[in-house]
Amino acid sequence: MPKAIQIQQFGGPEQLQLVEVSVGEPGPGEVRIRHYACGLNFIDIYQRTGLYQGALPLTLGMEAAGVVEAVGEGVTHLRPGQRVAYASQPPGAYCEVRVMPARCVVELPDGIDFETGAAMMLKGLTVQYLLRKTQPQGGLQEGDHVLFHAAAGGVGLIACQWARAMGLQLIGTAGSDEKCALAREMGAAHVINYNKEDFVARVKEITGGRGVKVVYDSIGKETWERSLECLRPLGLMVSYGNASGPVPPISLATLAAKGSLYVTRPTLFTHLATRESTQAMADDLFDMVGSGRVKIRIDQRYRLAEVAQAHRDLEARKTTGSSVLLP
Ligand SMILES: NC(=O)c1ccc[n+]([C@@H]2O[C@H](COP(=O)([O-])OP(=O)(O)OC[C@H]3O[C@@H](n4cnc5c(N)ncnc54)[C@H](OP(=O)(O)O)[C@@H]3O)[C@@H](O)[C@H]2O)c1
């Protein structure tokens, strides 16, 4: 029987158990995929702890790459034997084989190996919708400064390179000098070690006192207030994650006082709502990676059975770039 990683209850990494599961035939609109690599994402931690609650028992994981084994009725864009990858709901990617909705699955170009595919879909599609589609009033122009937190992480290192390709001046924050150096090497125009430096003061200094047009904040609770301070009037706050905990309730009056600010709390899965939008975003990502403008760094590899250690490392801020689990 194929193996999968499940939780029976919300909690710490010790809840992640290797179990055997039965996997049937795909139904209408579904596909069965054998995984060659699975991606690790911070959202998996929110789902393990119960910050984002799914029905239990739950197989975690939202990203993987592999080969199609069978397709269900009505699936026309996939065929058995095809190399594929996905970032998708519902969770269930931490496994050897699964049946899932075919809508979210795209063909993996020949030049991209399975590990890279598994390491880039959720994080790369996130950067795609953040930098291309989640822009301030008037859009982003070459030379504009943007502030991007956790710039040496999985999403962060892709964002550094993508922003450079768009001609943006990405100001990246990270928690150590080594991580800052890595973000700089991968395309950040400026870096700030937010464990040592006051990032608001540094952003003001870098932008000649004006502030940035947009902040991409995935840290949440710990950075929210100070991130708002980095925005210029009419700037956009993109709060897209909660690595340090959820953002507390806010007063709308704060947005007026700081200069008619805009706020959005986006999620990738709104952007992946249709097969057409998923394919268009994936084509953009494959083009960025295929052309070499974005390189996917896999800095951590684990066996599927070692997933608890992978979660500990990600939670303890020990990782850089992407991590993959190998079934
Ligand atoms: N809304 C969406 O559509 C969407 C999609 C994908 C990802 N995300 C979010 O994007 C963020 C990055 O995801 P990722 O998978 O690429 O993870 P990651 O950036 O590789 O790892 C998270 C990083 O956050 C930083 N961090 C700051 N405070 C932290 C804390 N209290 N605990 C743990 N880490 C902390 C750490 O970097 P430093 O040591 O440098 O501080 C850590 O390495 C996550 O918040 C995730 O939820 C959102």
Side-chain angles (χ1 to χ4, degrees), residues 42 46 126 129 153-155 174-175 179 194 218-219 240 243 266 268 317:
F42 217 89
Y46 308 144
T126 297
Y129 89 75
V155 172
K179 286 186 176 186
Y194 49 17
S218 63
I219 310 295
Y240 73 101
L268 172 63
R317 307 164 77 158

Side-chain angles (χ1 to χ4, degrees), residues 135-141 144 213 234 262:
Q135 299 200 348
Q137 286 290 306
L140 287 170
Q141 282 80 41
D144 278 345
K213 283 187 178 176
L234 301 173
Y262 293 78

Side-chain angles (χ1 to χ4, degrees), residues 90-314:
Y94 288 4
C95 65
E96 294 174 337
V97 187
R98 77 180 289 196
V99 169
M100 63 179 294
R103 175 175 53 74
C104 333
V105 180
V106 296
E107 181 169 22
L108 188 63
D110 285 342
I112 301 179
D113 61 51
F114 289 124
E115 289 191 14
T116 305
M120 67 185 248
M121 292 300 290
L122 196 145
K123 300 165 198 72
L125 293 173
T126 297
V127 174
Q128 200 279 346
Y129 89 75
L130 288 177
L131 293 182
R132 296 257 202 244
K133 302 202 267 183
T134 315
Q135 299 200 348
Q137 286 290 306
L140 287 170
Q141 282 80 41
E142 278 196 25
D144 278 345
H145 288 102
V146 304
L147 177 61
F148 208 106
H149 289 308
V155 172
L157 285 184
I158 297 174
C160 288
Q161 300 172 76
W162 201 309
R164 177 171 61 188
M166 287 171 67
L168 302 174
Q169 300 274 308
L170 182 144
I171 305 171
T173 61
S176 71
D177 291 345
E178 293 72 25
K179 286 186 176 186
C180 283
L182 180 59
R184 188 95 170 83
E185 182 193 325
M186 300 300 276
H190 306 271
V191 285
I192 305 170
N193 178 344
Y194 49 17
N195 284 336
K196 284 205 319 208
E197 299 174 274
D198 173 350
F199 73 79
V200 179
R202 287 276 287 116
V203 165
K204 290 281 160 65
E205 189 188 328
I206 291 164
T207 59
R210 299 184 70 199
V212 292
K213 283 187 178 176
V214 53
V215 178
Y216 296 101
D217 188 330
S218 63
I219 310 295
K221 188 174 155 192
E222 274 174 25
T223 46
W224 166 264
E225 292 279 349
R226 286 173 295 153
S227 290
L228 288 182
E229 297 293 328
C230 295
L231 285 167
R232 64 176 64 177
L234 301 173
L236 171 65
M237 174 71 165
V238 182
S239 174
Y240 73 101
N242 358 253
S244 69
V247 174
I250 61 157
S251 160
L252 290 181
T254 308
L255 305 180
K258 293 190 188 301
S260 307
L261 300 181
Y262 293 78
V263 174
T264 182
R265 192 356 181 146
T267 171
L268 172 63
F269 301 106
T270 313
H271 291 272
L272 299 183
T274 67
R275 198 176 94 62
E276 291 70 28
S277 63
T278 303
Q279 189 63 57
M281 290 170 66
D283 287 345
D284 192 9
L285 172 61
F286 293 149
D287 180 50
M288 294 300 284
V289 173
S291 66
R293 283 172 290 172
V294 169
K295 294 193 170 51
I296 305 300
R297 274 182 69 112
I298 303 174
D299 289 341
Q300 298 76 218
R301 289 179 172 79
Y302 307 86
R303 304 302 315 171
L304 184 60
E306 298 168 337
V307 63
Q309 188 57 45
H311 272 229
R312 284 189 194 99
D313 292 347
L314 185 59

Side-chain angles (χ1 to χ4, degrees), residues 31-32 66-71 78-84 107 114:
V31 59
R32 190 173 72 229
V67 171
V68 173
E69 286 192 340
V71 297
L78 300 174
R79 59 184 186 282
Q82 200 174 17
R83 301 170 72 254
V84 292
E107 181 169 22
F114 289 124

Side-chain angles (χ1 to χ4, degrees), residues 1-8 17-24 32-35 57-60 92-99 304:
M1 294 242 284
K3 297 191 173 52
I5 300 289
Q6 281 189 351
I7 57 167
Q8 302 291 330
Q17 299 297 330
L18 188 69
V19 296
E20 293 191 334
V21 289
S22 67
V23 180
R32 190 173 72 229
I33 301 176
R34 179 163 295 273
H35 290 154
L58 178 65
T59 302
L60 298 180
Y94 288 4
C95 65
E96 294 174 337
V97 187
R98 77 180 289 196
V99 169
L304 184 60

